[in-house]
Structure formats: structure tokens, C-alpha cells
Amino acid sequence: MCIVCTHTIHRTKHHFGWNRDFEPALIAKARETIHFECLDSSGGQLGKGSTLETLDSLDFSKINPVTGPVYVEGAKPGDALKVTIRRFVPSGVGWTANIPGFGLLADQFQEPALHMWNYDPISMAPALYGPGGRVPLKPFAGTIGVAPAEAGLHSVVPPRRVGGNLDIRDLTSGVTLYLPVEVDGALFSIGDTHAAQGDGEVCGTAIESQMEVEATIELVKDARLKSPRFTTTEPVTRHLDGAGYEVTTGIGPDLMTGAREGLMRMIDLLGAEHGMSAIDAYLLCSVCGDLRISEIVDAPNWVVSFYFPRIVFA
């Protein structure tokens, strides 16, 4: 239980998509700390005991719910919402899936796949993955944002200039996020909590895991922010860096092709060195491997690298 929180929003108070006309779940003052109960990105459809049959029967109209919205008194268009993430309360259960038609290599992995995770929500010790694999955990919120100015319902799937489905793995405890306000009250919501993810979330899912989140919301008046920005106060990869990395590359005139090729080479490497099936390697890369643009100035070819942390098999 949060002893400094002013309000709690229960997970029943959630919505799908973004809409400036949504009824607020809460009216809050600036500088208040709120306890959000969040659902996982399946909306509770996947959990302990889920199988491929459960995945096949997903109701996609219930995907990626966010808790809220919060109407912040005094928030006006042109302001920025300053959101400081205080703490995550993990559930200990998560899932990673290959959903046909979704992901960086959707054309190559056309069959559904599901991996269920169990982890210690107190110690947050690395979670087991197959024989010998241990994935370091670092909880964060994948979807966090405010309502856009345009009228109507907007999908929660793509990220937007007002935030949304950012899937930035560094939006974790201690981070301060600034979001452009486009409507009165801002209408802030949060959800899609993850226990771990690599930069790129290459298969389309991370370790999707239901959690609770505590966040303090403040206002920066007349900030005129054009897109989200955030501040970290400590190193962001310390949980992965300890044993170094294996790195593969994709090189060519197109960044998307380079990203795909860098990932494919890593899947090949994990198969050769650890005997992993291609689909198992694909899911694992999504939760702990990082896509990075290494070079984008030496025309006509750019370099995209895929970093896989050796600590997973150390």
C-alpha cells in the first residue's frame, strides 16, 4: 500500500484508446501522488495457466487497456505534464508472445507462440528462460500519455506526440517524463506494464505483466513541448552490462532492412551457440536485446547493430 499517495485508481477504471471526451476516473491537483492499478496488455486475458489456445482466442478489442484518465486541475493546452514515476509493484506473472502479423519479423514467424514467465516480485531476481537462460528484470510502463486535441477515438497501438504506446524501456522508477498537454485537464492514463524489454521490442511483446504504479503528477506552465521527453537519474543498462554483449549487424541503405538483418543474424547466433529454436530466440531477443543505430552518416549505407547481453547465459 502506498503511504504517500493521495488517490488510488483501481484497475476497473480503464479505457481503450485515447479520446478527449472520456469521462475522468479522477480529478486531481498538481503535485499529488497517485496509485494506479494497471492491467497487462492483454487486459487480463493471459495469465497463470494460459496456453496457446488462450492466445488463439484473444479478444483484440480488449488489448492494451490503460488506467485513468486523470483530469489534472489547471492543466491547459501548451502546458506540460511532469510525471515522476515513484515505484512499481509487480505481480510475479508475465507472458511473451509471437502474435501472427505483428513484430519486426512477422513475415518469417507466422505461427503463434507463447512463453509464460514466473518471477519473484519481491527480489526481482532474473527470470528463467529455458535451459540456462536468466533474464534480468527492470519494470516499466509501456503506455503512458495524455489525450490528443483531435476529436474522436484514437487507437492505443501507435505512439503519438502526446505519448501513448511509447514502449521505452527506460521509463522506470525514478524517471521523470514530460508530456505535451493538448486538452484541458490533460487526461493522463498509464498501463501496459512490463517486467523487462529490449530496445525495439522486436517480436512485438515484452515480458507483459500486470503491475501497480505510483506516480507524482505536476504541471509546467506554458512549456510548449512538441513531443515527450524524459530525464533519468542513474545508468539505464547496469542490470544487463555486467558480462558484456554479443553484437550482430545489418548494413545497407535502409534502416528497417538493417534492423531486420541485425536481428536475424542474432537469432542465427543464439541457435548456433545455445541450441535455441528460432522462435525461442526471437522471443528472448524481444525481452532483453537492444537495437541500436550505430552509424547513419556514411552514405549510402547505414549500420544497425543488435546487442544481446551475455549475462543471460552467464
Side-chain angles (χ1 to χ4, degrees):
M1 177 179 292
C2 177
I3 59 174
V4 298
C5 293
T6 312
H7 308 280
T8 294
I9 305 181
H10 299 290
R11 60 181 53 91
T12 54
K13 299 292 186 179
H14 63 265
H15 59 91
F16 302 93
W18 306 97
N19 193 323
R20 69 184 191 185
D21 296 321
F22 278 154
E23 189 73 21
L26 172 70
I27 298 175
K29 293 179 171 60
R31 296 186 296 277
E32 291 186 328
T33 299
I34 303 170
H35 186 100
F36 296 86
E37 294 183 351
C38 298
L39 291 161
D40 71 291
S41 63
S42 77
Q45 297 179 81
L46 292 172
K48 188 172 293 186
S50 290
T51 64
L52 268 181
E53 288 69 29
T54 317
L55 183 65
D56 286 338
S57 63
L58 273 185
D59 181 350
F60 284 89
S61 70
K62 298 178 179 178
I63 290 295
N64 222 0
V66 283
T67 299
V70 176
Y71 183 100
V72 182
E73 292 182 349
K76 298 289 183 183
D79 297 342
L81 210 63
K82 178 183 177 183
V83 182
T84 302
I85 301 172
R86 301 295 182 188
R87 186 169 75 107
F88 288 85
V89 183
S91 64
V93 177
W95 59 272
T96 304
N98 182 57
I99 298 172
F102 192 51
L104 185 58
L105 301 180
D107 57 327
Q108 298 181 32
F109 294 92
Q110 300 181 14
E111 297 298 320
L114 177 67
H115 179 81
M116 297 302 303
W117 301 83
N118 292 289
Y119 62 90
D120 187 330
I122 305 301
S123 71
M124 293 299 285
L128 297 178
Y129 186 90
R134 296 180 303 136
V135 174
L137 304 179
K138 191 174 183 181
F140 74 99
T143 303
I144 182 169
V146 296
E150 293 83 3
L153 181 65
H154 303 273
S155 171
V156 77
V157 175
R160 303 178 181 279
R161 64 179 181 270
V162 288
N165 194 18
L166 298 172
D167 284 322
I168 298 174
R169 68 120 181 252
D170 297 326
L171 295 180
T172 187
S173 299
V175 166
T176 299
L177 171 68
Y178 297 83
L179 296 165
V181 174
E182 294 192 351
V183 301
D184 287 351
L187 295 180
F188 172 82
S189 301
I190 185 171
D192 184 27
T193 43
H194 299 157
Q197 181 201 288
D199 282 335
E201 196 185 25
V202 292
C203 85
T205 57
I207 299 183
E208 312 289 330
S209 182
Q210 179 174 295
M211 297 188 189
E212 300 173 19
V213 189
E214 296 166 9
T216 301
I217 298 177
E218 301 174 80
L219 280 177
V220 181
K221 299 300 291 182
D222 200 33
R224 303 295 168 183
L225 195 63
K226 301 298 184 184
S227 61
R229 71 173 181 87
F230 62 96
T231 301
T232 74
T233 57
E234 60 183 28
V236 296
T237 56
R238 184 178 288 161
H239 64 302
L240 294 171
D241 286 345
Y245 293 83
E246 298 291 347
V247 184
T248 51
T249 62
I251 300 172
D254 181 81
L255 287 176
M256 181 61 75
T257 300
R260 285 169 50 86
E261 290 184 353
L263 172 59
M264 287 187 286
R265 300 295 81 80
M266 184 56 69
I267 290 171
D268 292 342
L269 183 63
L270 292 176
E273 293 198 346
H274 299 283
M276 301 188 74
S277 69
I279 184 60
D280 283 342
Y282 185 40
L283 298 185
L284 184 59
C285 283
S286 193
V287 303
C288 64
D290 295 334
L291 277 171
R292 300 183 186 176
I293 297 175
S294 296
E295 180 274 306
I296 199 171
V297 295
D298 296 328
N301 291 334
W302 331 126
V303 180
V304 181
S305 300
F306 193 89
Y307 282 64
F308 186 88
R310 291 165 53 88
I311 200 169
V312 171
F313 291 108

